[in-house]
Amino acid sequence: MKIEEIKASEFNEFAKTHILKNFYQTAEYGELMSHSDFSVMYVGGYHDNNLVAASLILYKSIGPNMKYGYAPRGFLVDYYNTPLLKAFTKKIKDFFFLRGFAFIKINPEVTYATINFDDQSKTVSSKNKELIEVLKELGYDKLRDNLYFESLLPKFTPVIYLPNYRLDNLDEKLVEEMKTSELKGVRLVSGKEEDIPTFYKFVEHKNSKTETYYKYFLKTFSKSNMVDLLLLELKYETYVKFLQKQYIFEQENNEAINYEFNKDTTNMDLYNAKLESDKLMNKISADIALANERMQENQMSEILGGALIVKHEGRITIEITGQNADFVGIDIKTYLYYKIIEEYKKAGYLFLDMNGITADFTDKNPYKSLNDFKLKFKPTTYEYIGEFDLIVNKPFHQLLWSTNKIQKEFYKPAIK
């Protein structure tokens, strides 16, 4: 086994056929991250002149003459071939030791367990549980398992297998509401680079990424047709017409409730129904007023939200979504996810990666609303084996730890 630095094109050819292929381990992602404070290299492991393992390595300085590396979603290697993994690990350590690296961080996309949120249980893969012990024996330092989003990439990921997925099997009220959203004048449209400033307004509060980052993201991945910018557009005129009909219907319902309630003012069911009807009429009135105000300003439509979607080898990943909350009568986020599932299922994609959730089953979970939102689409939730540091230079690593540099670089609060 020997390790060599390889070209991005050679790496991509290997990566796209590997069983652990993912968009984080692509030359496109490497190009994107080269515009950040990371440098990028691609390494390959050769056995008898055959490329048998490879990885994108992001790296940066973390101390005087000291660097660390990061292989997002782990090395592309057969983790179950212990002799290969052992040889690759040794040569990787030797290769990066000579280049002043202290450690290399990995977070392989290898499943540890399948989570069942209904009965708060998990089904653990015994094979992959054993793999954790193998990695430890080979010098990989297993980091503390996160409960929320403390690690660089989510440890818990909900995934939908699209070919067998039926939207009609979702909650009946949800499906009906989504079909009604189309009657309201909401539609999914494709965005372009000039739409990034609008999209960024929806997501700027979610992380530390800049508008420029998303411009590079779209530009870089577009070269390989690996990204879609999707936007939700609302046509005001269609929406107002729908609301006017809805208001008339609810007004008649409200009058009927009032009539019955006046005959029996002690009936709490009627009282609560009246409150709900009054609330709905106020919402409808507010949305009509807002839409009319916009149309008076010669604005006939509006972008309500959007999503950045990565497409890679039959799998789509919802990288990030965002929306405004101006129109209370439209469930923008749910409709956005609903249409994403519908459109990419039609397009023949296999998997939809909904990105991370947390493993806190309790009602005190600060991210419970995020969990509940994604889980209502009935995905399968996978727990990956976690985050590891391959210690390349132990004295360097100990020095960085004792001077708090590693903690400052990686440790973030569990709750924002």
Side-chain angles (χ1 to χ4, degrees):
M1 169 75 71
K2 63 178 180 178
I3 300 294
E4 293 182 1
E5 189 167 354
I6 60 177
K7 294 180 180 179
S9 57
E10 185 180 2
F11 169 75
N12 252 12
E13 282 300 309
F14 176 85
K16 71 181 182 181
T17 60
H18 199 275
I19 192 169
L20 293 176
K21 57 182 177 283
N22 63 86
F23 86 88
Y24 290 104
Q25 282 290 326
T26 61
E28 287 79 9
Y29 188 70
E31 182 180 345
L32 171 66
M33 297 308 290
S34 70
H35 294 289
S36 67
D37 53 354
F38 280 104
S39 296
V40 179
M41 76 165 69
Y42 306 91
V43 295
Y46 289 87
H47 178 69
D48 292 338
N49 294 320
N50 293 317
L51 186 59
V52 295
S55 185
L56 156 68
I57 303 290
L58 309 177
Y59 65 95
K60 65 194 299 187
S61 294
I62 192 173
N65 301 313
M66 286 182 278
K67 307 182 189 75
Y68 77 84
Y70 173 41
R73 282 305 179 213
F75 305 134
L76 298 181
V77 63
D78 184 352
Y79 288 91
Y80 305 122
N81 184 337
T82 303
L84 173 63
L85 179 61
K86 183 177 181 179
F88 181 72
T89 298
K90 181 181 184 306
K91 292 299 182 180
I92 281 285
K93 289 173 69 173
D94 293 343
F95 182 88
F96 285 100
F97 180 89
L98 296 175
R99 287 159 178 79
F101 281 66
F103 62 95
I104 297 175
K105 185 176 293 291
I106 66 170
N107 39 26
E109 201 170 57
V110 174
T111 301
Y112 174 75
T114 304
I115 309 297
N116 187 327
F117 279 87
D118 291 333
D119 62 9
Q120 299 186 4
S121 67
K122 65 170 67 176
T123 303
V124 176
S125 165
S126 58
K127 185 178 181 180
N128 292 337
K129 185 177 182 180
E130 292 170 4
L131 175 60
I132 293 175
E133 297 307 313
V134 172
L135 289 169
K136 289 179 180 178
E137 290 173 7
L138 295 179
Y140 293 84
D141 185 14
K142 176 74 168 68
L143 304 184
R144 185 180 62 183
D145 285 331
N146 57 289
L147 186 61
Y148 300 120
F149 296 110
E150 301 92 330
S151 57
L152 294 179
L153 290 174
K155 189 173 189 287
F156 303 89
T157 298
V159 176
I160 291 173
Y161 181 61
L162 292 171
N164 296 339
Y165 191 80
R166 289 181 56 85
L167 286 162
D168 289 344
N169 288 338
L170 296 177
D171 180 79
E172 188 176 334
K173 185 177 179 182
L174 183 152
V175 174
E176 185 60 33
E177 186 177 349
M178 294 303 97
K179 292 177 179 178
T180 303
S181 294
E182 296 188 354
L183 299 177
K184 293 177 181 179
V186 184
R187 63 176 186 144
L188 196 66
V189 298
S190 295
K192 299 179 180 178
E193 186 176 346
E194 55 264 32
D195 296 307
I196 288 292
T198 299
F199 172 72
Y200 184 66
K201 292 177 183 177
F202 303 136
V203 301
E204 61 181 322
H205 64 286
K206 291 194 167 187
N207 55 41
S208 59
K209 301 290 193 298
T210 65
E211 183 179 321
T212 301
Y213 171 85
Y214 290 108
K215 286 181 178 178
Y216 274 126
F217 200 119
L218 188 64
K219 185 176 181 180
T220 301
F221 282 88
S222 291
K223 295 174 186 176
S224 305
N225 191 29
M226 287 175 61
V227 66
D228 288 331
L229 176 62
L230 301 179
L231 304 171
L232 279 187
E233 182 183 52
L234 174 66
K235 295 288 187 181
Y236 293 140
E237 188 175 2
T238 304
Y239 190 38
V240 169
K241 288 179 180 178
F242 177 90
L243 290 176
Q244 288 170 340
K245 293 177 182 178
Q246 188 183 28
Y247 189 87
I248 292 171
F249 174 83
E250 192 56 39
Q251 188 175 42
E252 293 174 351
N253 180 51
N254 190 277
E255 289 172 355
I257 294 172
N258 282 334
Y259 178 78
E260 294 297 326
F261 180 67
N262 287 332
K263 291 194 295 183
D264 182 7
T265 56
T266 62
N267 189 318
M268 291 307 297
D269 289 339
L270 286 172
Y271 176 74
N272 290 329
K274 172 178 164 52
L275 289 180
E276 287 302 313
S277 181
D278 289 343
K279 189 185 302 182
L280 178 56
M281 289 182 67
N282 287 335
K283 287 182 179 179
I284 296 170
S285 296
D287 276 5
I288 290 175
L290 182 57
N292 281 330
E293 180 184 331
R294 302 275 168 85
M295 286 193 289
Q296 288 173 2
E297 298 171 352
N298 294 319
Q299 187 178 343
M300 302 309 294
S301 65
E302 180 177 349
I303 300 300
L304 300 179
L308 196 64
I309 306 293
V310 178
K311 305 177 293 183
H312 183 249
E313 300 296 327
R315 166 179 168 181
I316 65 165
T317 301
I318 302 177
E319 177 66 9
I320 192 168
T321 68
Q323 66 282 324
N324 66 30
D326 290 349
F327 292 96
V328 294
I330 302 174
D331 187 347
I332 302 167
K333 186 176 181 180
T334 301
Y335 185 71
L336 182 58
Y337 273 72
Y338 186 92
K339 292 301 290 184
I340 288 171
I341 294 170
E342 183 180 64
E343 293 302 317
Y344 287 98
K345 176 178 168 64
K346 287 179 184 176
Y349 283 85
L350 297 177
F351 297 98
L352 186 154
D353 185 332
M354 302 179 79
N355 227 316
I357 58 174
T358 74
D360 186 347
F361 295 117
T362 71
D363 289 336
K364 294 180 180 180
N365 179 3
Y367 297 98
K368 187 176 186 301
S369 61
L370 171 68
N371 277 19
D372 290 346
F373 173 80
K374 292 184 179 181
L375 292 174
K376 73 182 178 181
F377 290 99
K378 301 181 179 179
T380 300
T381 300
Y382 297 101
E383 177 185 359
Y384 299 133
I385 61 173
E387 201 167 78
F388 299 78
D389 283 350
L390 174 60
I391 309 302
V392 174
N393 186 317
K394 195 168 185 178
F396 278 11
H397 185 268
Q398 290 176 336
L399 177 60
L400 291 170
W401 181 266
S402 65
T403 55
N404 217 36
K405 292 185 181 296
I406 291 177
Q407 294 89 325
K408 288 181 179 178
E409 180 74 15
F410 293 106
Y411 289 173
K412 53 186 178 180
I415 302 170
K416 288 186 178 181

